[in-house]
């Protein structure tokens, strides 16, 4: 559905649904069911927390195995959609499109408890922020000696070298990396009054890992990124640096690690919006403010059934943080160092700045 607006399809998607809907053969029905079980058994990253032994067993236990095996692609798709919405209900897992065999159908997702909760939180925090910033919150704002950097998703529009050329030409992309580059220029300018830097992720639902790592490099200098493969048990950690000032050198001038650093989090802070504060807190260099983040530890895996249904799941690649040689799950979110109980106080930046200055 892409950028064509809600309910509208790209030309390719339109072509996909031009084929006449049809029933599945016995062979395709059985093959599709077995393939679905195999793929989920091997690629779904949250089997442990969901107490799933095998998906075939789970499908049988909740009574949808017959629908998933049926000749009707609509029945099979509806069963899969219900399972993703209500049984997985992990926010990264989403039913995207019905198979061409079922035909184009309304996707208005019914949502499980976790999805409803994060939407409720999103509405509450969004309304509280809009009350303080009716014209929209600025990506960079200075309040006294404190800089606030705000974005609601981690976006990276270009790859590597392109940022040097685009920024030199004054065509800064509207993305996270450009926001951080601009913020760094302001914070490190001559006679800058900035002593505190606050990264506001209170309405951030995640996004591109590359952008998240760039932000970590900016705040910490060395940006650790740890991943555990839940299928194989393989674990890896990479450490990145970011050339934030675009001088083509990786050094201490690219970071704000010499400032008092804070990160504002809430139950809306999900996926990369949860990964970043976990890494920041484990560094012992950044103070977390707000409420416990929303969790989300696995990267997204896009999938298709053998008969063409499109969906995505929490993959077997679990973002983690490394401490004392062990990889720790971040799916339950991270607690702040200092709680903010009143949501309105998240966005009263005059009061928040005064509070922060009282912490050191």
């Amino acid at each position: 559905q892409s950028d064509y607006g809600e309910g509208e399809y790209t030309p390719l998607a339109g072509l996909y649904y031009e084929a006449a809907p049809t029933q599945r053969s016995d062979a395709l029905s059985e093959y599709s069911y077995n393939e679905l079980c195999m793929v989920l058994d091997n690629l779904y990253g949250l089997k442990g927390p969901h107490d799933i032994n095998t998906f075939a067993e789970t499908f049988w236990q909740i009574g949808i195995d017959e629908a998933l095996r049926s000749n009707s692609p609509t029945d099979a798709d509806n069963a899969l959609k219900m399972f993703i919405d209500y049984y997985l209900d992990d926010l990264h897992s989403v039913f995207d499109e019905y198979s061409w065999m079922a035909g184009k159908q309304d996707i208005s997702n019914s949502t499980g408890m976790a999805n409803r909760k994060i939407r409720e939180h999103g509405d509450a925090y969004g309304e509280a922020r809009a009350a303080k910033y009716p014209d929209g919150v600025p990506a960079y704002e200075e309040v006294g000696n404190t800089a606030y950097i705000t974005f609601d998703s981690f976006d990276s529009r270009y790859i590597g070298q392109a940022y040097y050329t685009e920024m030199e030409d004054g065509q800064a992309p509207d993305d996270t990396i450009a926001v951080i580059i601009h913020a760094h220029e302001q914070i490190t300018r001559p006679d800058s009054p900035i002593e505190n830097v606050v990264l506001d992720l209170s309405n951030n639902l995640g996004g591109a890992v590359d952008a998240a790592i760039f932000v970590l490099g900016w705040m910490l200098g060395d940006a650790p990124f740890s991943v555990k493969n839940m299928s194989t048990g393989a674990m890896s950690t990479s450490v990145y640096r970011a050339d934030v000032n675009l001088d083509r050198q990786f050094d201490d001038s690219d970071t704000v690690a010499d400032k008092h650093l804070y990160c504002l989090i809430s139950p809306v802070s999900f996926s990369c919006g949860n990964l970043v504060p976990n890494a920041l807190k484990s560094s012992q260099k950044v103070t977390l403010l707000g409420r416990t983040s929303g969790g989300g530890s696995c990267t997204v895996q896009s999938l298709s059934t053998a008969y063409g249904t499109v969906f995505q799941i929490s993959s077997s690649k679990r973002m983690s943080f490394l401490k004392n040689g062990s990889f720790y799950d971040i799916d339950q979110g991270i607690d702040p160092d200092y709680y903010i109980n009143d949501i309105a106080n998240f966005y009263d930046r005059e009061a928040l700045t005064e509070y922060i200055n009282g912490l050191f």
Side-chain angles (χ1 to χ4, degrees):
Q1 287 180 263
S2 187
D3 298 327
Y4 282 72
E6 187 173 352
E8 298 180 19
Y9 286 86
T10 63
L12 179 60
L15 182 64
Y16 179 71
Y17 284 112
E18 282 188 4
T22 186
Q23 296 289 93
R24 302 189 301 179
S25 66
D26 291 341
L28 179 57
S29 299
E30 189 65 17
Y31 179 86
S32 296
Y33 176 77
N34 290 328
E35 183 195 51
L36 178 65
C37 292
M38 179 194 71
V39 166
L40 293 177
D41 281 344
N42 287 280
L43 296 183
Y44 186 62
L46 297 175
K47 286 175 66 178
H50 282 273
D51 290 324
I52 294 173
N53 182 28
T54 68
F55 276 86
E57 179 182 78
T58 300
F59 292 151
W60 173 78
Q61 288 173 335
I62 63 179
I64 62 170
D65 56 320
E66 290 187 8
L68 290 171
R69 276 190 163 108
S70 72
N71 295 120
S72 167
T74 298
D75 288 349
D77 279 357
N78 284 334
L80 179 59
K81 181 177 182 299
M82 183 271 292
F83 179 72
I84 291 172
D85 286 348
Y86 292 107
Y87 286 88
L88 295 186
D89 190 25
D90 65 20
L91 281 72
H92 273 150
S93 296
V94 177
F95 184 93
D96 290 316
E97 296 291 348
Y98 282 83
S99 164
W100 69 270
M101 299 184 80
K104 187 189 302 183
Q105 299 189 35
D106 180 23
I107 285 295
S108 51
N109 280 324
S110 304
T111 54
M113 182 62 71
N115 272 278
R116 289 201 300 272
K117 279 293 184 184
I118 202 165
R119 290 183 183 186
E120 289 172 3
H121 288 308
D123 290 342
Y125 283 86
E127 289 169 6
R129 190 173 72 181
K132 293 289 185 180
Y133 292 92
D135 297 325
V137 65
Y140 179 80
E141 182 181 25
E142 294 184 5
V143 180
N145 65 343
T146 303
Y148 291 85
I149 297 89
T150 308
F151 46 87
D152 294 347
S153 64
F154 288 91
D155 300 317
S156 56
R157 303 292 174 88
Y158 299 127
I159 298 175
Q161 181 68 24
Y163 282 95
Y164 292 98
T165 57
E166 295 297 328
M167 299 296 281
E168 287 172 359
D169 293 341
Q171 303 296 318
D174 180 21
D175 69 0
T176 301
I177 292 176
V179 167
I180 297 301
I181 291 171
H182 171 71
H184 189 73
E185 289 175 346
Q186 297 302 307
I187 292 168
T188 61
R189 71 186 186 274
D191 300 320
S192 169
I194 301 302
E195 298 178 89
N196 313 313
V197 176
V198 179
L199 178 66
D200 185 349
L201 300 180
S202 60
N203 282 273
N204 192 297
L205 286 167
V209 169
D210 290 352
I213 292 173
F214 189 88
V215 174
L216 287 174
W218 176 58
M219 297 191 78
L220 302 178
D222 292 328
F225 181 61
S226 299
V227 177
K228 180 175 181 178
N229 189 310
M230 302 306 293
S231 295
T232 65
M235 297 174 283
S236 68
T237 295
S238 299
V239 179
Y240 297 85
R241 279 194 165 234
D243 181 19
V244 181
N245 63 6
L246 301 180
D247 66 355
R248 300 179 186 271
Q249 301 292 324
F250 295 93
D251 52 35
D252 290 342
S253 65
D254 293 307
T255 169
V256 288
D258 61 332
K259 307 297 182 184
H260 299 112
L261 303 178
Y262 300 87
C263 183
L264 194 61
I265 58 172
S266 80
V268 185
S269 308
F270 180 74
S271 191
C272 284
N274 173 58
L275 167 69
V276 168
N278 268 275
L280 294 178
K281 187 168 184 176
S282 67
S283 74
Q284 302 291 307
K285 297 178 181 179
V286 182
T287 301
L288 302 189
L289 308 171
R291 296 187 183 178
T292 303
S293 60
S297 61
C298 296
T299 60
V300 172
Q301 173 75 60
S302 296
L303 295 169
S304 171
T305 64
Y307 62 100
T309 311
V310 182
F311 63 105
Q312 66 183 49
I313 60 170
S314 291
S315 78
S316 59
K317 296 179 178 64
R318 190 185 74 187
M319 299 180 291
S320 310
F321 74 89
L322 178 66
K323 186 173 183 179
N324 297 329
S326 299
F327 284 66
Y328 289 91
D329 187 3
I330 63 172
D331 201 52
Q332 295 184 40
I334 191 74
D335 293 330
D337 296 293
Y338 296 94
Y339 277 88
I340 300 175
N341 292 320
D342 188 343
I343 296 177
N345 290 336
F346 276 65
Y347 309 108
D348 184 347
R349 289 183 171 173
E350 296 287 347
L352 192 56
T353 298
E354 183 178 349
Y355 176 73
I356 287 170
N357 284 324
L359 293 177
F360 64 88

